[in-house]
Amino acid sequence: MGLVVRVILLLGGALATLLVGREAENYPVVQAMMGLLAAAAVLVAFVLLRRR
């Protein structure tokens, strides 16, 4: 379970770095939001590919 969380935060961190700097006060919040967005995108892509 911890590995899944680390992967989500890794994806979120990569996306969050594009929007705000690591020194920003709200970086962890943006990182978590981008992680959830990345996880949802992967889930939607998986579901759409399985429908065919």
Side-chain angles (χ1 to χ4, degrees):
M1 187 65 165
L3 182 63
V4 174
V5 173
R6 284 183 188 228
V7 170
I8 289 173
L9 286 178
L10 180 70
L11 289 172
L15 292 172
T17 304
L18 296 173
L19 299 175
V20 296
R22 283 185 170 254
E23 297 81 25
E25 291 180 14
N26 61 345
Y27 180 78
V29 175
V30 175
Q31 180 184 16
M33 286 177 18
M34 291 295 119
L36 288 174
L37 181 67
V42 168
L43 182 65
V44 167
F46 180 73
V47 168
L48 289 176
L49 289 174
R50 297 285 293 174
R51 281 182 81 187
R52 294 182 178 211

